[in-house]
Amino acid sequence: MTNTPALGLLLDIDGPIASPVTRSVAIPSILTDLVKLTAAGIPIAFITGRSADFVLEEVVAPLRAAGLDDALAGGGRMFVVCEKGAVWFAMGAEGPLPVELDATVALPEEFRSHIRSLVEERFSESMFFDEGKLAMVSVEQKTELTADEYRPLQLQYNEVAYAALIERGLGARYGERETPNAAGDIPFRLDPTIISTDVESVTLDKDRGAERAVLFFEEQGHLPRVWRSVGDSRSDYKMADYLHAAGYEVAHVDVRPADGILEKPYRVIVEGELIHDEAGAAFLAYWVAKLGL
């Protein structure tokens, strides 16, 4: 792809692409519009806390079924950053390239094993241990529970997981609480979402994922000046923060503005009354129409 693309996209998955209810891509136009944009040379990166296994199964496989391979064969570019920057892979015309891992940010295996056993023994009716995570240690709400049923159990789990970090001298942060390790450092944090809790390196976040994606696209060809980031949490704004600081023209699309729209030096967009994947679908459809695809 030698021409400069009109647009670049950094997309969170849960919320704008995958339904937070079904945990899958539930709106067919999202898939077809992503393929159209890729075929038009728009560099698209998914920046997610999800595992590579989840993305490959729930996003990549249906995109390939919708024609992604042909779009990439024509010069399209797609990149996937998982676990907020700890894991990543590129997409090629014949499928995904090998998954890569930054092992320096991974939790110790003993802690991972402890949390797996803890969930099996105490929280198996409400959540499950995410075996797909390579660097983080994550648990997720079972879909049989409502958000109201899950929330108090999640809070219980968070306390136990935080205590397990401290008992092992790992150094951690949870909300306003901080307990340094023996060296005085705090290398890990608990990061709860509406459907999960991640234990992760403090160096991981959406801005790190954005940087990794932009560097990849830069190696592949010309970069657009105009970018849009799309997400449903306050941390997703960090994608746009990185792009703005790097000098790009960026706006962030917030698909869950009820959590509070942040004050930023760039434009923040909402899709009217639409939220989650309905807002994501509307956003993609707008750009497909705008670019005449």
Side-chain angles (χ1 to χ4, degrees), residues 90-238:
M91 288 300 302
E94 297 181 358
L97 277 64
V99 173
E100 299 186 57
L101 164 68
D102 179 359
T104 66
V105 297
L107 270 296
E109 185 57 40
E110 189 277 333
F111 176 78
R112 177 182 301 274
S113 297
H114 173 76
I115 294 297
R116 182 189 290 110
S117 298
L118 174 72
V119 171
E120 290 174 356
E121 294 167 6
R122 295 183 52 183
F123 297 96
S124 61
E125 294 185 358
S126 57
M127 60 190 75
F128 63 90
F129 182 87
D130 189 344
E131 295 287 356
K133 293 293 180 74
L134 302 177
M136 296 178 179
V137 172
S138 300
V139 301
E140 184 172 334
Q141 170 193 348
K142 288 191 170 180
T143 54
E144 306 93 87
L145 271 70
T146 66
D148 288 341
E149 291 170 333
Y150 174 66
R151 179 62 176 161
L153 297 168
Q154 180 189 29
L155 291 173
Q156 291 179 29
Y157 165 80
N158 292 351
E159 292 293 339
V160 175
Y162 183 67
L165 285 163
I166 304 314
E167 288 167 5
R168 286 158 177 77
L170 292 174
R173 175 187 306 127
Y174 172 38
E176 299 300 317
R177 284 180 283 170
E178 295 183 345
T179 305
N181 60 18
D185 300 322
I186 302 174
F188 299 108
R189 66 173 170 238
L190 259 77
D191 184 20
T193 76
I194 60 171
I195 60 171
S196 65
T197 296
D198 299 322
V199 182
E200 62 197 22
S201 166
V202 297
T203 65
L204 298 176
D205 220 326
K206 293 299 184 81
D207 50 354
R208 178 169 177 157
E211 180 180 23
R212 192 176 293 284
V214 170
L215 289 174
F216 169 81
F217 289 140
E218 193 172 34
E219 293 174 354
Q220 305 301 310
H222 296 294
L223 291 178
R225 294 303 309 164
V226 176
W227 289 81
R228 295 290 182 268
S229 58
V230 187
D232 71 336
S233 69
R234 304 319 91 187
S235 64
D236 287 319
Y237 282 74
K238 291 177 182 284

Side-chain angles (χ1 to χ4, degrees), residues 15-124:
I17 302 300
S19 163
V21 177
T22 67
R23 321 281 169 84
S24 61
V25 182
I27 301 176
S29 68
I30 288 177
L31 298 171
T32 54
D33 285 348
L34 284 169
V35 170
K36 288 176 184 177
L37 290 163
T38 302
I42 305 302
I44 298 175
F46 297 105
I47 314 292
T48 180
R50 284 288 192 178
S51 68
D53 286 352
F54 176 91
V55 180
L56 288 165
E57 181 176 345
E58 298 294 347
V59 181
V60 169
L63 277 172
R64 295 186 71 191
L68 179 64
D69 290 2
D70 289 341
L72 293 169
R77 290 178 279 174
M78 182 172 285
F79 193 67
V80 181
V81 179
C82 304
E83 302 189 41
K84 300 180 186 174
V87 175
W88 63 94
F89 62 91
M91 288 300 302
E94 297 181 358
L97 277 64
V99 173
E100 299 186 57
L101 164 68
D102 179 359
T104 66
V105 297
L107 270 296
E109 185 57 40
E110 189 277 333
F111 176 78
R112 177 182 301 274
S113 297
H114 173 76
I115 294 297
R116 182 189 290 110
S117 298
L118 174 72
V119 171
E120 290 174 356
E121 294 167 6
R122 295 183 52 183
F123 297 96
S124 61

